[in-house]
Amino acid sequence: MRAPRQVAQPCAALVLAATVLLSGCGGAGGGDGDPLRFVLFGDPTETAGYEELVAAFERENRDVEVTISPVAEQDDLMAKLTTAFAGGRPPDVFLINYRNYGQFASQGVLAPVQPRLDSSAVIDEGDFAAAALDAFRFDGSELTCLPQNVSSLVVYYNADLFAEAGLAPPRAGWTWDDFLTAAQTLTVDGRYGVGTEASTIRVAPFVWSAGGDVVDDPDEPTTLSLDTGEARRGLDFFLDLQTVHGVAPPERQEQAQDSEARFLAGQLGMYLNSRKSVPTLRTIDDFSWDVAPMPVAPGGEPATILHGDAYCIAGASEQQNQAWRFVEFANSVPGQTILARSGRTVPSRLDVARSRAFLRPDVPPASAEVFVDVIPTIRAVPHSASWPRVEKEADEIIEALYYGRIEREEGIRQLVESTRPLFAGPGS
Amino acid sequence: MLRGLLHRHLPAALVAALFSLPLLLMVSGSLRPAGLPPPEGVELLPSEPTLDAYRRLPELVPLWTWLRNSTIVVAVAVPLTVLVASWAGFGIRLLSGRRRRLAILATLAVLLVPVTAVWATRFELFRVVGVIDTYVPLVAPALAATTPFYVLVYVWSFTGLPDSQLEAGRLEGASAWRLWRGVAMPQARLATLAVAVLAFTAHWANFIDALLYLDSQGLYTLPLGLRLLQLLNPTDWPLLMAGAVVATVPAVAVFLLAQRLFLDDPLRGLRGGRT
């Protein structure tokens, strides 16, 4: 009868002591007011850039302390944000992709940055790339959040493989035919010509270049329009790369080694991704690589797609002034220059995007100016509240089509039909 | 003899091998030199194994802080879970017939509520109390036995207690508290082992509460931190694997230790007054 007590008593004491300890540590603290809470997503090297930014901001603003809360993926970010907003304690500032902020903007829980930007003495609307700004005007005119970057989809290519095959390096204005010919020439000996994720945002530039659109009305979309006319031509060209021409890895190959890994191993001629691949590709040392704009449809216009994030301020924040001061600093020349050094994103400020801090002539890609040159051709998918669900559903079907799991006509019919009810969205 | 042994243990060994394969790949992945493109297919042992990833990991991320924080959380949450689950389980066991069945049904019903359904309300509750960005929301579920399932484990285990034994204790004037301590718990070692190990893994691997409630990086726990590593370049995956090994080792150690403590019964000697 004595033994259990001997165990139970220290146990209970431990529990009590620890509970007291726990509620003691943590907590807000901080001298003057609560710290500003800033939530963002990214890997450790990326968040290191933001730590540096926050440190620089705090040096110049001794009265404001910033707590930076990194989460890994956008899905995690959405879980944290939706819970925090619903629970009444959103972060003061957060970084979010333009395809995801709509559900917050539509609820009116964000404090629009437009009035503050208009009266700012530090930054000016004209400093920023229009394509990035437009994606964050939720109602079409007033700026809701301030864009941090203006990354877009580009073609990374293995320059050595191009030279060996006697192919001219791709340049601005190269066509779908050039692209396909290169991909076919490079698909030999277990190597593949081109690798890409199969998703709505990868298909979109092909659709736009062909003269079509992804949705019926970009401002108030009610359905995908990928089954019609020019849009269908773009979608078909994309799907044919894998299903007809076989220049992209089939599903099993892609699962065994994804396109980025394949490119790193020198087994892929061209790789489609946004600016975020650059730090990884810079680890390549056994072949040379470079970057080119997206190819242009015959008789079409050059087009690429925005991969942009912005700083949003929560309407429920009690420190909106401090929050704005941070956002303002982050988007000043010194602020954006700090983040430009990481090389992961294309600065939304055109002056910083054209600076040596971003272009870095000392490291690849040699044609870094491509990221800046394509800015006028950048377009965006809708940023409505219902868009993330549409895109998620569409991605599944596009992937099935790309890997030939469903028949083309049937798949495209499904693509349009099954996403249509989702446009109405949960909020309406 | 040998054949009998083989027959008895072969299936178990096969299943164990199947489950340990991912662990093996995790360890071998962590020994791969960083900076190389990821291997094509499965690689059992890298050609030039190195511990480099384990050296670089704490330089890149505050690994020790995460480990310490996770340890604090489980040190509180696991004993608390065992205590509350066994109390609740014993309480239900003491009920008679219909009322016991009702209590079990109610526990089952609570078990069916998806956790995601109470995210927002829980958050609001913790916000009102002012404990967001502390460990209280991470540990608080332990006050409700972490999950009703652990209560049921104890109920099932205590169902094996003969009524006669409990009544005998009652006649001697023992309170419910003393019956729990002296009669019920010593006979529910397996349940305690199971609940302790399950509660340990649940709290050790608790990602979602850490994500929702923690803001300060100094408070981040291991699962939340490790998730950040998942976004590293594919060439840096040895680091992610090393992180996964560091996260898994304590869980394996706890399981082995708990198994020893509870099944080999080293306390028996103590109870008898001998060593």
Side-chain angles (χ1 to χ4, degrees):
Chain A
M1 281 285 167
R2 277 172 55 210
R5 190 195 299 165
Q6 281 168 351
V7 179
Q9 275 179 349
C11 220
L14 182 79
V15 169
L16 258 165
T19 317
V20 172
L21 190 83
L22 284 174
S23 35
C25 69
D32 24 327
D34 287 343
L36 204 63
R37 279 173 294 120
F38 172 35
V39 171
L40 74 157
F41 60 95
D43 73 43
T45 50
E46 206 171 347
T47 52
Y50 284 95
E51 305 262 12
E52 210 182 312
L53 175 72
V54 163
F57 170 73
E58 286 177 339
R59 269 198 302 279
E60 291 186 21
N61 298 268
R62 300 261 174 208
D63 58 322
V64 188
E65 194 192 329
V66 183
T67 302
I68 162 168
S69 314
V71 299
E73 292 176 23
Q74 305 218 14
D75 285 351
D76 299 345
L77 178 79
M78 295 313 282
K80 190 172 173 83
L81 288 179
T82 45
T83 313
F85 270 102
R89 193 182 183 269
D92 301 293
V93 183
F94 58 94
L95 198 66
I96 192 167
N97 189 278
Y98 77 95
R99 282 143 53 220
N100 287 332
Y101 83 106
Q103 52 182 299
F104 300 106
S106 68
Q107 308 268 326
V109 295
L110 302 178
V113 297
Q114 186 80 58
R116 291 175 186 275
L117 178 61
D118 290 343
S119 57
S120 170
V122 181
I123 53 177
D124 185 83
E125 198 170 322
D127 300 334
F128 298 87
L133 290 171
D134 290 344
F136 286 98
R137 297 184 205 278
F138 185 69
D139 64 2
S141 61
E142 188 184 50
L143 196 63
T144 312
C145 306
L146 197 59
Q148 192 271 330
N149 59 71
V150 59
S151 302
S152 62
L153 191 69
V154 291
V155 181
Y156 296 100
Y157 65 95
N158 184 322
D160 287 4
L161 290 181
F162 266 71
E164 278 165 31
L167 290 162
R171 287 180 197 293
W174 69 319
T175 64
W176 283 4
D177 289 338
D178 302 332
F179 176 73
L180 183 59
T181 309
Q184 282 170 327
T185 314
L186 295 170
T187 306
V188 279
D189 311 330
R191 232 193 265 132
Y192 287 95
V194 61
T196 174
E197 174 193 296
S199 63
T200 315
I201 56 170
R202 293 288 188 270
V203 168
F206 292 95
V207 167
W208 290 326
S209 186
D213 204 347
V214 177
V215 290
D216 57 343
D217 175 359
D219 296 323
E220 289 184 19
T222 61
T223 178
L224 289 181
S225 54
L226 290 169
D227 56 338
T228 52
E230 304 305 323
R232 173 68 196 261
R233 193 158 69 96
L235 177 61
D236 279 334
F237 179 78
F238 181 89
L239 297 176
D240 286 350
L241 291 173
Q242 208 294 118
T243 53
V244 175
H245 305 297
V247 293
E251 187 156 29
R252 197 174 297 168
Q253 295 287 320
E254 182 72 19
Q255 276 171 358
Q257 187 182 32
D258 69 25
S259 283
E260 186 159 274
R262 199 175 289 270
F263 188 83
L264 288 168
Q267 292 299 308
L268 189 68
M270 295 177 281
Y271 172 52
L272 308 190
N273 206 341
S274 71
R275 173 75 195 189
K276 76 171 183 196
S277 287
V278 166
T280 311
L281 301 190
R282 280 181 181 158
T283 63
I284 294 173
D285 50 18
D286 47 3
F287 64 86
S288 63
W289 58 278
D290 204 352
V291 61
M294 292 293 290
V296 184
E301 294 286 316
T304 184
I305 182 169
L306 179 68
H307 281 245
D309 316 294
Y311 299 92
C312 299
I313 299 176
S317 164
E318 285 164 9
Q319 312 190 69
Q320 292 185 20
N321 290 333
Q322 289 91 325
W324 169 252
R325 266 159 66 199
F326 174 67
V327 172
E328 194 175 44
F329 176 82
N331 291 292
S332 62
V333 173
Q336 285 216 349
T337 305
I338 292 172
L339 289 175
R341 280 189 222 122
S342 81
R344 282 193 81 95
T345 58
V346 182
S348 57
R349 288 188 70 100
L350 294 169
D351 47 3
V352 180
R354 291 197 189 98
S355 73
R356 289 174 65 87
F358 172 70
L359 294 175
R360 296 282 303 270
D362 53 321
V363 282
S367 312
E369 73 283 352
V370 163
F371 292 101
V372 185
D373 295 342
V374 297
I375 290 176
T377 69
I378 291 179
R379 295 176 62 174
V381 288
H383 50 249
S384 57
S386 57
W387 180 255
R389 289 181 62 213
V390 172
E391 200 183 297
K392 199 169 179 202
E393 174 77 18
D395 284 355
E396 275 175 30
I397 303 172
I398 288 174
E399 194 181 86
L401 279 164
Y402 185 75
Y403 291 117
R405 290 200 301 260
I406 32 176
E407 190 270 324
R408 180 81 55 99
E409 297 305 322
E410 168 60 18
I412 292 177
R413 195 190 58 77
Q414 264 185 38
L415 179 62
V416 176
E417 294 302 319
S418 68
T419 50
R420 190 170 291 142
L422 301 176
F423 276 94
S428 52
Chain B
M1 180 69 194
L2 190 69
R3 274 191 57 176
L5 211 66
L6 206 68
H7 269 274
R8 197 143 15 109
H9 292 291
L10 191 65
L14 282 178
V15 172
L18 195 68
F19 277 91
S20 49
L21 191 65
L23 292 177
L24 195 72
L25 290 177
M26 182 172 85
V27 175
S28 81
S30 73
L31 299 176
R32 201 178 150 77
L36 296 183
E40 213 175 323
V42 175
E43 184 186 62
L44 275 184
L45 192 70
S47 48
E48 291 170 47
T50 162
L51 291 174
D52 198 44
Y54 292 90
R55 191 182 51 73
R56 277 180 56 204
L57 194 58
E59 292 170 10
L60 183 70
V61 292
L63 188 69
W64 306 125
T65 311
W66 295 345
L67 261 175
R68 186 201 64 202
N69 294 345
S70 279
T71 309
I72 295 175
V73 170
V74 295
V76 180
V78 174
L80 204 56
T81 301
V82 170
L83 220 56
V84 175
S86 63
W87 281 344
F90 190 56
I92 293 177
R93 166 65 184 87
L94 291 184
L95 295 174
S96 53
R98 228 176 75 85
R99 290 163 76 190
R100 190 195 302 178
R101 272 198 302 279
L102 266 176
I104 292 175
L105 276 177
T107 315
L108 270 172
V110 177
L111 187 59
L112 294 178
V113 176
V115 189
T116 43
V118 294
W119 272 5
T121 38
R122 256 195 206 177
F123 189 96
E124 175 121 32
L125 205 72
F126 288 124
R127 177 183 64 83
V128 171
V129 184
V131 291
I132 305 269
D133 204 24
T134 72
Y135 292 137
V136 173
L138 273 68
V139 170
L143 287 171
T146 303
T147 145
F149 175 66
Y150 301 158
V151 175
L152 291 175
V153 170
Y154 271 108
V155 172
W156 285 319
S157 173
F158 291 148
T159 311
L161 285 177
D163 281 334
S164 59
Q165 214 176 351
L166 293 173
E167 273 157 27
R170 279 257 169 79
L171 285 176
E172 281 175 30
S175 60
W177 163 253
R178 284 192 50 177
L179 284 175
W180 170 80
R181 253 177 17 187
V183 180
M185 283 308 268
Q187 295 184 43
R189 288 171 165 277
L190 263 177
T192 303
L193 167 71
V195 169
V197 170
L198 288 174
F200 178 88
T201 25
H203 285 280
W204 187 255
N206 182 359
F207 165 72
I208 195 70
D209 287 325
L211 172 72
L212 299 183
Y213 297 114
L214 298 181
D215 291 327
S216 308
Q217 286 189 82
L219 294 181
Y220 275 24
T221 53
L222 202 53
L224 189 55
L226 279 189
R227 183 87 169 183
L228 296 173
L229 294 178
Q230 281 183 7
L231 289 196
L232 282 177
N233 305 335
T235 50
D236 274 340
W237 279 345
L239 289 169
L240 171 65
M241 291 298 126
V245 170
V246 171
T248 311
V249 164
V252 173
V254 161
F255 177 73
L256 294 177
L257 196 77
Q259 202 186 17
R260 287 255 143 143
L261 266 178
F262 284 87
L263 296 189
D264 296 356
D265 199 5
L267 295 178
R268 193 190 294 150
L270 287 175
R271 260 207 310 281
R274 284 169 279 119
T275 45

